[in-house]
Amino acid sequence: QVQLVESGGGLVQPGGSLRLSCTASGIALDYYAIGWFRQAPGKEREGVSCISNSDDSDGYTYYADSVKGRFTTSRDNAKNTAYLHINNLKPEDTAVYYCAADFVPLETAAGGVYYCSRYSLDSNDYDYWGQGTQVTVSS
């Protein structure tokens, strides 16, 4: 019933750009924060970004230090889709990229608004995961 499907990965030269998409079905992303994660061979899964379910959030987005300035996350709730824009790709960006959804109930201390923070980069906090899309950066 619930699916998150990533797309947009592929082989790109260093310095290039990619836009990854995460399209959800079976859930309405209005009620979910979206995290992006990546995992390179032989390494632990790394949280790279978070975007809140609401632009009213004081923590609308959050980025890992390693990707700040190059990665941008956005969303289009009308399309039930979130995005990760990656600029100036480097070989060390090579990994499988995953999106994940974290449910935000209306009855919360934050009034149903998710606050993205460094804690949002913890993969254990998310309810649904996509299958991943491969990004390979090589000349």
Side-chain angles (χ1 to χ4, degrees):
Q1 290 272 34
V2 177
Q3 283 190 300
L4 301 178
V5 179
E6 301 95 337
S7 62
L11 177 64
V12 64
Q13 293 182 331
S17 299
L18 284 174
R19 186 186 73 169
L20 308 184
S21 298
C22 173
T23 299
S25 60
I27 58 173
L29 288 189
D30 309 69
Y31 296 106
Y32 293 83
I34 300 296
W36 285 94
F37 300 80
R38 65 184 182 184
Q39 188 166 22
K43 294 186 177 181
E44 297 291 329
R45 182 170 293 178
E46 175 191 18
V48 300
S49 74
C50 170
I51 185 165
S52 172
N53 65 309
S54 173
D55 58 11
D56 290 334
S57 176
D58 291 334
Y60 185 53
T61 58
Y62 187 88
Y63 299 92
D65 289 342
S66 60
V67 305
K68 287 180 180 177
R70 296 191 301 116
F71 286 32
T72 303
T73 186
S74 61
R75 64 192 299 157
D76 185 343
N77 287 345
K79 297 181 178 180
N80 231 25
T81 299
Y83 304 95
L84 184 68
H85 303 260
I86 311 175
N87 296 318
N88 192 23
L89 279 157
K90 302 177 180 180
E92 53 263 42
D93 295 321
T94 296
V96 177
Y97 284 73
Y98 301 88
C99 65
D102 192 4
F103 183 61
V104 186
L106 291 176
E107 297 80 16
T108 65
V113 177
Y114 189 92
Y115 186 92
C116 288
S117 71
R118 64 185 178 91
Y119 301 106
S120 307
L121 305 184
D122 182 355
S123 62
N124 291 327
D125 294 337
Y126 290 83
D127 302 298
Y128 302 105
W129 289 81
Q131 297 301 305
T133 185
Q134 177 71 49
V135 172
T136 302
V137 184
S138 176
S139 60

